[in-house]
Amino acid sequence: MQLGGLLGHLVPPFRPNSTTGEPTTRDTGTEATDAAHEEHVNTDDGDQGPIGATDNPEKRRSTVREIVIVVACVLLLTWVLQTFIGRQYVIPSESMEPTLHGCAGCSNDHIVIDKLAYRFGDPKPGDVVVFNAPTESWEGGWTSRRSSNVVIKGVQDGFSWFGFAPPDEYNLVKRVIATGGQTVACKNADGRGVTVDGKPLREPYIDTALQADTAAGTPTSCYGTDFGPITVPDGNVWVMGDNRLSSADSRAHITDELNGTVPVSEIRGKVRFIVFPLSRIGGMDVVNPQP
């Protein structure tokens, strides 16, 4: 989002008399009228005449000041929006299909997150969130794209503050399935799918046809291997992708120090809108899977 604009100057409808400093509209005779007329007529060679023949340094300085003030205000507003209100992200993979689209060669969804959502509340089951990789196992070999040059890196970090470059971290997008204190599990043998506190989930956002196509047959009820039971620590959440057979979510990180859970402090915001492509523009519905 770019904002801008310059403040213009109003030119007064009269010029002061060079001798008295009074407006030339106070002429009292024909001779004065003719002289005033001569003052306001430009010559063919571009001469502006006795009045206004030289630039006004104070006017130039005023214009420069106005430009600096406008640019500073735009940058400050952008920083506030990006830091405290919301930020745009691009979906890079298919792990959240069909809710969010992303794949190589596709018109990947561009989403906007709400950064205020969890300043005044906690994540709830069904929320789609963007979060920073909490452990190395989530990063999957990711390395920073920042320059090793200190000056260039500083410029890149500065661009990131204003949303002109991505943050220097590995971000992911998943759906919250369970929150602090809840126990999540899945056993293919019982055919109930994922359960939270022993109760099976209702998950209309999972495209069963897509899962069957990925599995090249009938997928298991867990859309993967058994896991759990795992009790989510307070202040953490358990997250999963809607495209279960193509998502490296909490299930894939059970052996890390957080047992696959994600600290709420690592959540960057709640997904609110899809803003691109045009055919996909719309709000993000929250579907609570827990009965």
Side-chain angles (χ1 to χ4, degrees), residues 115 196 226 265 280 290:
K115 289 194 168 189
V196 174
D226 294 359
S265 60
R280 296 270 298 155
Q290 297 187 17

Side-chain angles (χ1 to χ4, degrees), residues 248-269:
D249 45 46
S250 288
R251 299 169 296 170
H253 307 284
I254 291 174
T255 58
D256 71 14
E257 56 267 40
L258 298 174
N259 295 125
T261 64
V262 176
V264 173
S265 60
E266 295 291 354
I267 295 179
R268 297 298 177 249

Side-chain angles (χ1 to χ4, degrees), residues 171-188:
N171 297 127
L172 304 99
V173 58
K174 304 293 179 189
R175 188 182 297 273
V176 176
I177 298 300
T179 57
Q182 295 185 317
T183 299
V184 60
C186 192
K187 304 298 180 184
N188 283 300

Side-chain angles (χ1 to χ4, degrees), residues 58 96 154-155 167-168 184 235 260 275:
E58 182 59 33
M96 282 295 292
V155 172
D168 190 25
V184 60
V275 296

Side-chain angles (χ1 to χ4, degrees), residues 127-204:
D127 288 357
V128 178
V129 299
V130 170
F131 59 95
N132 178 46
T135 63
E136 289 185 8
S137 71
W138 286 87
E139 293 180 351
W142 173 83
T143 56
S144 172
R145 295 183 179 181
R146 292 291 194 261
S147 172
S148 58
N149 183 288
V150 176
V151 175
I152 296 177
K153 183 178 183 299
V155 172
Q156 292 171 328
D157 288 340
F159 282 166
S160 177
W161 297 338
F162 301 107
F164 303 135
D168 190 25
E169 60 184 28
Y170 188 62
N171 297 127
L172 304 99
V173 58
K174 304 293 179 189
R175 188 182 297 273
V176 176
I177 298 300
T179 57
Q182 295 185 317
T183 299
V184 60
C186 192
K187 304 298 180 184
N188 283 300
D190 62 25
R192 304 173 70 205
V194 178
T195 63
V196 174
D197 292 337
K199 299 177 181 179
L201 303 182
R202 297 189 300 264
E203 301 188 283

Side-chain angles (χ1 to χ4, degrees), residues 42-79:
N42 295 338
T43 60
D44 292 339
D45 61 2
D47 186 5
Q48 299 298 313
I51 295 180
T54 58
D55 292 333
N56 187 333
E58 182 59 33
K59 182 178 179 180
R60 290 200 304 273
R61 287 194 293 269
S62 176
T63 300
V64 172
R65 281 197 301 268
E66 289 176 0
I67 293 173
V68 171
I69 292 172
V70 169
V71 171
C73 288
V74 169
L75 290 177
L76 178 61
L77 178 60
T78 302
W79 177 78

